[in-house]
């Protein structure tokens, strides 16, 4: 007899077995009833449904074997030869057989005779066998073989139904997980949270997936990852547009006011910046030249303030800018303001003339809890002090802004 090892180890056949997700002693009432009937009808002490792997026999249902699995080399396994031959096998006296006499159970006297039929599933793969063993020399009848052939058709139907039910359950779990991810994306959940949901879904579904389901799962995870990443990028872009001044790229007025309130909770300084002689640049050079000036000054403002911890700065509108410097003292704020006065200077050619633009900056200090609007108004007033003092300079409000409080009678 030719060795059954290659047939048993066929990868496609093993994948087919795995798709049924059956282990030993699965506790299926239908399969248990089949082996009970086989043993009773054939008067056999041992009856098994055997899913055959390399050197391994797995018994989803058995009577008389007493174990869910057994390990026997393929070359000595009755059921392995049934798989390789794809046809019934009868051994009337295993002890006298040139191959099976060395089977450990035969040598131990537990098995002497065998009758088995191949268990071929609806896709044509030989999953294993249905077989009975006797502990005495025995010839099996045609009726005995008919019993096994009828029972193998029943087992094939049971396994097919189990696989369909299991697949439907897996598909339902996949749909639930996919729905959760899409809902998280639709409601604007952070990207990390969405990716965590995907990771959880993979951990839940992958252990129960067959090869085809693994492929489907990988495709869906890739697709949902792309959807989540694109949605996050789109939301970030919208947020950036909603918060950003389109000309300078700094915070726009709305975002500056919102972020400024939060930044000033623990006190600090507010700078109000107005570009000197900007109207003349616009009137003589046109808005395109004026826009270029604003862009250059905004970039210098960014360069000087972006390394200040927690600083918030942006364009209020026109040629007006503001900056919130949380937690800084007056000396630090003054130093930063004076550096900005020196940096925010530009000579602009407008026609045959040059216009020298500069920045008048008002400084207001605010104690913790001071409303941002009050501090901004105080800095605005201080800025007019800089204008009156000759422009292109820093002017500070005389006293820190106090938190507004109602006064009782």
């Amino acid at each position: 007899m030719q060795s059954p090892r290659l047939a048993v180890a066929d990868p496609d056949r093993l994948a087919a077995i795995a798709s049924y997700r059956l282990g030993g002693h699965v506790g299926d009432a239908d399969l248990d009833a089949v082996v009970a009937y086989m043993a009773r009808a054939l008067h056999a002490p041992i009856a098994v449904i055997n899913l055959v792997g390399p050197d391994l026999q797995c018994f989803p249902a058995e009577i008389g074997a007493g174990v869910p699995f057994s390990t026997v080399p393929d070359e000595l396994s009755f059921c392995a030869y049934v798989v390789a031959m794809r046809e019934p096998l009868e051994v009337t006296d295993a002890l006298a057989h040139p191959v099976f006499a060395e089977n450990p159970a035969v040598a131990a006297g537990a098995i002497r005779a065998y009758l088995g039929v191949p268990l071929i599933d609806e896709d044509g793969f030989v999953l294993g066998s249905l077989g009975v063993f006797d502990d005495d020399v025995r010839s099996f009848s045609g009726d005995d073989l008919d019993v096994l052939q009828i029972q193998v058709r029943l087992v094939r139907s049971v396994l097919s139904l189990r696989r369909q039910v299991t697949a439907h359950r897996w598909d339902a779990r996949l749909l639930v997980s996919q729905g959760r991810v899409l809902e998280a994306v639709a409601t604007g959940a952070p990207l990390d949270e969405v990716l965590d949901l995907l990771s959880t879904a993979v951990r839940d579904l992958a252990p129960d997936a067959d090869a085809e389901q693994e492929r489907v799962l990988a495709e869906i995870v890739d697709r949902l990852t792309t959807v989540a990443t694109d949605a996050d990028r789109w939301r970030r872009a919208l947020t950036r547009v909603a918060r950003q001044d389109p000309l300078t790229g700094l915070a726009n007025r709305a975002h500056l006011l919102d972020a400024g309130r939060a930044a000033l909770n623990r006190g600090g300084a507010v700078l109000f910046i107005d570009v000197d002689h900007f109207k003349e640049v616009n009137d003589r050079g046109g808005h395109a030249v004026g826009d270029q000036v604003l862009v250059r000054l905004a970039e210098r403002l960014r360069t000087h303030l972006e390394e200040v911890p927690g600083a918030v700065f942006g364009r209020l509108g026109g040629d007006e800018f503001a900056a919130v410097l949380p937690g800084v003292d007056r000396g630090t704020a003054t130093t930063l303001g004076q550096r900005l006065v020196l940096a925010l200077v530009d000579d602009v050619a407008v026609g045959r003339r040059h216009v020298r633009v500069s920045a008048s900056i008002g400084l207001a200090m605010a104690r913790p809890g001071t409303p941002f609007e009050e501090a901004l108004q105080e800095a605005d007033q201080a800025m007019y002090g800089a204008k009156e003092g000759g422009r292109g300079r820093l002017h500070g409000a005389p006293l820190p802004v106090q938190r507004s409080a109602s006064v009782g009678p």
Side-chain angles (χ1 to χ4, degrees):
M1 298 175 73
Q2 186 175 356
S3 170
R5 182 165 295 277
L6 288 178
V8 169
D10 176 59
D12 292 336
R13 190 190 77 86
L14 296 178
I17 293 175
S19 72
Y20 290 92
R21 301 184 183 92
L22 286 172
H25 287 178
V26 296
D28 185 290
D30 293 326
L31 299 182
D32 290 341
V34 166
V35 293
Y37 180 77
M38 288 164 51
R40 185 170 64 253
L42 274 67
H43 305 286
I46 300 174
V48 298
I49 298 172
N50 186 358
L51 302 181
V52 180
D55 299 329
L56 177 68
Q57 292 75 47
C58 170
F59 308 131
E62 56 82 18
I63 282 183
V67 293
F69 303 92
S70 70
T71 55
V72 176
D74 292 339
E75 290 78 10
L76 302 178
S77 168
F78 296 91
C79 301
Y81 281 96
V82 174
V83 169
M85 295 186 301
R86 299 178 65 92
E87 61 184 28
L89 172 65
E90 178 184 5
V91 179
T92 57
D93 186 357
L95 195 58
H97 196 279
V99 172
F100 300 118
E102 297 183 19
N103 180 290
V106 173
I111 291 175
R112 195 68 181 269
Y114 170 78
L115 177 65
V117 295
L119 172 56
I120 303 175
D121 75 355
E122 58 191 353
D123 298 319
F125 292 106
V126 186
L127 307 178
S129 67
L130 267 66
V132 293
F133 298 88
D134 207 322
D135 56 6
D136 202 354
V137 175
R138 176 176 177 178
S139 293
F140 294 92
S141 67
D143 289 342
D144 293 335
L145 182 60
D146 288 343
V147 168
L148 294 190
Q149 296 285 25
I150 292 170
Q151 295 305 304
V152 82
R153 288 196 291 271
L154 175 59
V155 170
R156 180 165 56 241
S157 298
V158 170
L159 294 187
S160 176
L161 180 60
R162 280 180 60 95
R163 182 164 66 172
Q164 291 175 29
V165 170
T166 301
H168 288 325
R169 287 174 179 167
W170 190 90
D171 291 343
R173 289 161 56 199
L174 176 62
L175 285 174
V176 169
S177 297
Q178 184 173 338
R180 287 173 181 161
V181 171
L182 290 175
E183 181 181 5
V185 171
T187 55
L191 180 60
D192 287 346
E193 183 177 323
V194 176
L195 296 181
D196 283 344
L197 284 174
L198 276 173
S199 296
T200 299
V202 171
R203 287 195 300 270
D204 176 51
L205 293 166
D208 299 326
D210 59 26
E212 175 61 18
Q213 288 169 333
E214 286 178 353
R215 183 190 65 78
V216 171
L217 180 60
E219 288 182 356
I220 289 179
V221 168
D222 286 346
R223 186 162 61 249
L224 290 179
T225 299
T226 300
V227 168
T229 303
D230 288 347
D232 181 72
R233 188 182 301 115
W234 176 72
R235 278 195 299 270
R236 289 177 184 271
L238 284 181
T239 300
R240 187 164 54 252
V241 169
R243 294 179 174 181
Q244 198 173 67
D245 175 60
L247 175 63
T248 65
L250 300 182
N252 59 21
R253 181 184 183 90
H255 181 51
L256 178 60
L257 294 176
D258 287 340
R261 293 185 190 102
L264 207 60
N265 277 339
R266 57 192 181 96
V270 176
L271 300 175
F272 194 105
I273 304 159
D274 185 89
V275 180
D276 302 320
H277 308 296
F278 182 72
K279 184 176 184 303
E280 184 179 354
V281 171
N282 256 354
D283 291 345
R284 292 179 178 273
H287 290 291
V289 174
D291 287 349
Q292 292 173 7
V293 171
L294 293 178
V295 169
R296 288 197 295 272
L297 297 181
E299 186 56 35
R300 295 174 196 172
L301 183 66
R302 187 199 313 274
T303 300
H304 281 75
L305 295 182
E306 63 184 355
E307 294 185 1
V308 178
V312 176
F313 47 92
R315 184 184 178 200
L316 290 169
D319 60 350
E320 294 180 339
F321 299 83
V324 180
L325 311 175
V328 302
D329 58 26
R330 190 177 189 89
T332 302
T334 299
T335 299
L336 287 170
Q338 290 170 341
R339 289 176 181 170
L340 288 175
V341 168
L342 296 176
L344 302 180
V345 176
D346 207 359
D347 285 316
V348 185
V350 285
R352 296 181 178 180
R353 294 189 53 188
H354 280 74
V355 177
R356 182 177 178 83
V357 298
S358 56
S360 293
I361 303 177
L363 166 64
M365 299 302 298
R367 291 193 173 92
T370 300
F372 175 55
E373 290 79 1
E374 291 184 17
L376 185 63
Q377 184 179 5
E378 193 75 15
D380 185 12
Q381 293 173 357
M383 181 272 297
Y384 282 107
K387 295 276 191 187
E388 294 170 359
R391 303 175 190 262
R393 66 188 60 216
L394 174 72
H395 182 77
L399 295 172
V401 178
Q402 303 282 345
R403 171 192 278 272
S404 294
S406 59
V407 180

